[in-house]
Amino acid sequence: MWELLQDCWKSFPVDYFLKLVSDNAKLSSRQRVNSELFTLTYGALVTQLCKDYENDEEVNKQLDKMGYNIGVRLIEDFLARSSVGRCQDFRETADVIAKVAFKMYLGITPSVTNWSPAGDELSLILESNPLVDFVELPDNHSSLVYSNLLCGVLRGALEMVQMAVDVKFAQDTLRGDNVTEIRMKFIKRMEENLPAGDE
């Protein structure tokens, strides 16, 4: 079964994973795609990347890149389904991410905490992470950031709403930490690219 999932992943582009997440968000809680299938599919992806690339750092980059591509496309689905308007500031954006986006697509609600004094950096604390169910990192992959896809998704989605951010895992229960913490830092508000002649 595991080998079959790995082989299947090679033939599925990022769109497959995006569709799986998006379709899951459309269904009622009783109809949701089995979370174990979702976890196994993601596990097959990470396993294949570990085989394809020589070191964990490169796998981490690939997960971030795939996540970014998913985030760029997922934002339209999110805005259409959530009816969320334009956020006024980074605090409001963080609340929407935690209370609406994570809940909609992963069924969890991280807490928003550890704000920097300037209000430009925060932590998302995940009580649970559906991507890591049944997962143990092998000793030879100690620097693998298994759920790095999530960082890319956040970065890509926020870039599409003109917000440049840096996103990284600060702590991870998979690596023996007490909590899973995603650290997000606001870099700048990006100017909208208007077609020539438009104002």
Side-chain angles (χ1 to χ4, degrees), residues 16-33:
Y16 171 74
F17 192 78
L18 178 62
K19 182 171 176 18
L20 182 64
V21 172
S22 182
D23 286 351
N24 198 36
K26 295 175 192 174
L27 303 173
S28 71
S29 59
R30 282 181 289 178
Q31 298 171 313
R32 293 247 162 140
V33 173

mmCIF file of all heavy atoms in Angstrom, residues 16-33:
data_model
loop_
_atom_site.group_PDB
_atom_site.id
_atom_site.type_symbol
_atom_site.label_atom_id
_atom_site.label_comp_id
_atom_site.label_asym_id
_atom_site.label_seq_id
_atom_site.Cartn_x
_atom_site.Cartn_y
_atom_site.Cartn_z
ATOM 1 N N TYR A 16 -3.152 17.941 -7.501
ATOM 2 C CA TYR A 16 -3.844 16.852 -6.814
ATOM 3 C C TYR A 16 -3.958 17.153 -5.325
ATOM 4 O O TYR A 16 -5.026 17.017 -4.730
ATOM 5 C CB TYR A 16 -3.109 15.528 -7.027
ATOM 6 C CG TYR A 16 -3.671 14.428 -6.169
ATOM 7 C CD1 TYR A 16 -4.889 13.836 -6.469
ATOM 8 C CD2 TYR A 16 -2.999 14.006 -5.025
ATOM 9 C CE1 TYR A 16 -5.418 12.847 -5.663
ATOM 10 C CE2 TYR A 16 -3.528 13.017 -4.223
ATOM 11 C CZ TYR A 16 -4.734 12.442 -4.543
ATOM 12 O OH TYR A 16 -5.258 11.478 -3.736
ATOM 13 N N PHE A 17 -2.856 17.561 -4.728
ATOM 14 C CA PHE A 17 -2.863 17.863 -3.296
ATOM 15 C C PHE A 17 -3.792 19.041 -3.013
ATOM 16 O O PHE A 17 -4.567 19.034 -2.062
ATOM 17 C CB PHE A 17 -1.442 18.152 -2.811
ATOM 18 C CG PHE A 17 -1.329 18.193 -1.325
ATOM 19 C CD1 PHE A 17 -1.299 17.029 -0.587
ATOM 20 C CD2 PHE A 17 -1.249 19.402 -0.658
ATOM 21 C CE1 PHE A 17 -1.201 17.062 0.784
ATOM 22 C CE2 PHE A 17 -1.152 19.438 0.711
ATOM 23 C CZ PHE A 17 -1.119 18.269 1.437
ATOM 24 N N LEU A 18 -3.734 20.050 -3.874
ATOM 25 C CA LEU A 18 -4.600 21.214 -3.739
ATOM 26 C C LEU A 18 -6.069 20.803 -3.817
ATOM 27 O O LEU A 18 -6.890 21.237 -3.020
ATOM 28 C CB LEU A 18 -4.270 22.228 -4.836
ATOM 29 C CG LEU A 18 -5.096 23.502 -4.883
ATOM 30 C CD1 LEU A 18 -4.906 24.300 -3.613
ATOM 31 C CD2 LEU A 18 -4.707 24.333 -6.083
ATOM 32 N N LYS A 19 -6.399 19.937 -4.764
ATOM 33 C CA LYS A 19 -7.780 19.463 -4.915
ATOM 34 C C LYS A 19 -8.219 18.672 -3.689
ATOM 35 O O LYS A 19 -9.341 18.836 -3.214
ATOM 36 C CB LYS A 19 -7.912 18.622 -6.178
ATOM 37 C CG LYS A 19 -9.331 18.139 -6.430
ATOM 38 C CD LYS A 19 -9.457 17.512 -7.793
ATOM 39 C CE LYS A 19 -10.818 16.928 -8.078
ATOM 40 N NZ LYS A 19 -11.935 17.307 -7.292
ATOM 41 N N LEU A 20 -7.338 17.827 -3.164
ATOM 42 C CA LEU A 20 -7.662 17.042 -1.978
ATOM 43 C C LEU A 20 -7.999 17.952 -0.799
ATOM 44 O O LEU A 20 -9.008 17.765 -0.127
ATOM 45 C CB LEU A 20 -6.481 16.133 -1.613
ATOM 46 C CG LEU A 20 -6.660 15.193 -0.426
ATOM 47 C CD1 LEU A 20 -7.747 14.171 -0.715
ATOM 48 C CD2 LEU A 20 -5.358 14.481 -0.116
ATOM 49 N N VAL A 21 -7.187 18.986 -0.587
ATOM 50 C CA VAL A 21 -7.423 19.920 0.510
ATOM 51 C C VAL A 21 -8.680 20.735 0.259
ATOM 52 O O VAL A 21 -9.524 20.905 1.142
ATOM 53 C CB VAL A 21 -6.196 20.845 0.693
ATOM 54 C CG1 VAL A 21 -6.487 21.936 1.693
ATOM 55 C CG2 VAL A 21 -4.993 20.045 1.149
ATOM 56 N N SER A 22 -8.834 21.230 -0.977
ATOM 57 C CA SER A 22 -9.980 22.067 -1.311
ATOM 58 C C SER A 22 -11.290 21.287 -1.227
ATOM 59 O O SER A 22 -12.274 21.760 -0.662
ATOM 60 C CB SER A 22 -9.797 22.651 -2.708
ATOM 61 O OG SER A 22 -10.872 23.484 -3.024
ATOM 62 N N ASP A 23 -11.317 20.085 -1.788
ATOM 63 C CA ASP A 23 -12.520 19.256 -1.731
ATOM 64 C C ASP A 23 -12.891 18.918 -0.300
ATOM 65 O O ASP A 23 -14.061 18.906 0.068
ATOM 66 C CB ASP A 23 -12.333 17.960 -2.522
ATOM 67 C CG ASP A 23 -12.375 18.183 -4.025
ATOM 68 O OD1 ASP A 23 -12.718 19.302 -4.449
ATOM 69 O OD2 ASP A 23 -12.050 17.242 -4.761
ATOM 70 N N ASN A 24 -11.888 18.670 0.526
ATOM 71 C CA ASN A 24 -12.124 18.351 1.926
ATOM 72 C C ASN A 24 -12.811 19.513 2.635
ATOM 73 O O ASN A 24 -13.697 19.322 3.456
ATOM 74 C CB ASN A 24 -10.793 17.997 2.600
ATOM 75 C CG ASN A 24 -10.995 17.254 3.896
ATOM 76 O OD1 ASN A 24 -11.902 16.451 4.031
ATOM 77 N ND2 ASN A 24 -10.136 17.515 4.851
ATOM 78 N N ALA A 25 -12.412 20.742 2.282
ATOM 79 C CA ALA A 25 -12.999 21.918 2.923
ATOM 80 C C ALA A 25 -14.449 22.135 2.511
ATOM 81 O O ALA A 25 -15.221 22.736 3.248
ATOM 82 C CB ALA A 25 -12.175 23.159 2.574
ATOM 83 N N LYS A 26 -14.867 21.633 1.345
ATOM 84 C CA LYS A 26 -16.229 21.835 0.849
ATOM 85 C C LYS A 26 -17.239 20.919 1.530
ATOM 86 O O LYS A 26 -18.432 21.180 1.517
ATOM 87 C CB LYS A 26 -16.285 21.558 -0.655
ATOM 88 C CG LYS A 26 -15.493 22.514 -1.497
ATOM 89 C CD LYS A 26 -15.526 22.047 -2.939
ATOM 90 C CE LYS A 26 -14.503 22.796 -3.769
ATOM 91 N NZ LYS A 26 -14.421 22.273 -5.130
ATOM 92 N N LEU A 27 -16.768 19.833 2.090
ATOM 93 C CA LEU A 27 -17.672 18.819 2.617
ATOM 94 C C LEU A 27 -18.026 19.073 4.072
ATOM 95 O O LEU A 27 -17.288 19.709 4.806
ATOM 96 C CB LEU A 27 -17.015 17.443 2.492
ATOM 97 C CG LEU A 27 -16.592 17.037 1.067
ATOM 98 C CD1 LEU A 27 -15.811 15.743 1.122
ATOM 99 C CD2 LEU A 27 -17.802 16.904 0.168
ATOM 100 N N SER A 28 -19.152 18.534 4.489
ATOM 101 C CA SER A 28 -19.526 18.621 5.891
ATOM 102 C C SER A 28 -18.593 17.718 6.691
ATOM 103 O O SER A 28 -17.905 16.865 6.142
ATOM 104 C CB SER A 28 -20.972 18.174 6.082
ATOM 105 O OG SER A 28 -21.067 16.772 5.904
ATOM 106 N N SER A 29 -18.589 17.882 7.995
ATOM 107 C CA SER A 29 -17.669 17.108 8.835
ATOM 108 C C SER A 29 -17.924 15.608 8.718
ATOM 109 O O SER A 29 -17.019 14.802 8.844
ATOM 110 C CB SER A 29 -17.773 17.550 10.293
ATOM 111 O OG SER A 29 -19.097 17.382 10.751
ATOM 112 N N ARG A 30 -19.158 15.187 8.443
ATOM 113 C CA ARG A 30 -19.457 13.756 8.315
ATOM 114 C C ARG A 30 -18.958 13.192 6.990
ATOM 115 O O ARG A 30 -18.729 12.001 6.863
ATOM 116 C CB ARG A 30 -20.954 13.507 8.440
ATOM 117 C CG ARG A 30 -21.418 13.559 9.888
ATOM 118 C CD ARG A 30 -22.872 13.284 9.972
ATOM 119 N NE ARG A 30 -23.553 14.457 9.410
ATOM 120 C CZ ARG A 30 -24.859 14.559 9.279
ATOM 121 N NH1 ARG A 30 -25.634 13.579 9.628
ATOM 122 N NH2 ARG A 30 -25.403 15.641 8.787
ATOM 123 N N GLN A 31 -18.797 14.063 5.978
ATOM 124 C CA GLN A 31 -18.392 13.599 4.660
ATOM 125 C C GLN A 31 -16.891 13.757 4.406
ATOM 126 O O GLN A 31 -16.412 13.391 3.366
ATOM 127 C CB GLN A 31 -19.132 14.405 3.581
ATOM 128 C CG GLN A 31 -20.631 14.260 3.622
ATOM 129 C CD GLN A 31 -21.277 15.244 2.665
ATOM 130 O OE1 GLN A 31 -20.933 16.411 2.635
ATOM 131 N NE2 GLN A 31 -22.225 14.760 1.882
ATOM 132 N N ARG A 32 -16.179 14.348 5.334
ATOM 133 C CA ARG A 32 -14.765 14.672 5.103
ATOM 134 C C ARG A 32 -13.958 13.473 4.657
ATOM 135 O O ARG A 32 -14.182 12.350 5.081
ATOM 136 C CB ARG A 32 -14.136 15.233 6.378
ATOM 137 C CG ARG A 32 -14.705 16.574 6.745
ATOM 138 C CD ARG A 32 -13.715 17.644 6.621
ATOM 139 N NE ARG A 32 -14.453 18.896 6.577
ATOM 140 C CZ ARG A 32 -14.089 19.979 7.160
ATOM 141 N NH1 ARG A 32 -12.983 20.013 7.828
ATOM 142 N NH2 ARG A 32 -14.793 21.063 7.052
ATOM 143 N N VAL A 33 -12.982 13.756 3.786
ATOM 144 C CA VAL A 33 -12.054 12.725 3.365
ATOM 145 C C VAL A 33 -11.366 12.193 4.606
ATOM 146 O O VAL A 33 -11.011 12.947 5.501
ATOM 147 C CB VAL A 33 -11.011 13.326 2.398
ATOM 148 C CG1 VAL A 33 -9.925 12.328 2.073
ATOM 149 C CG2 VAL A 33 -11.688 13.816 1.133
#
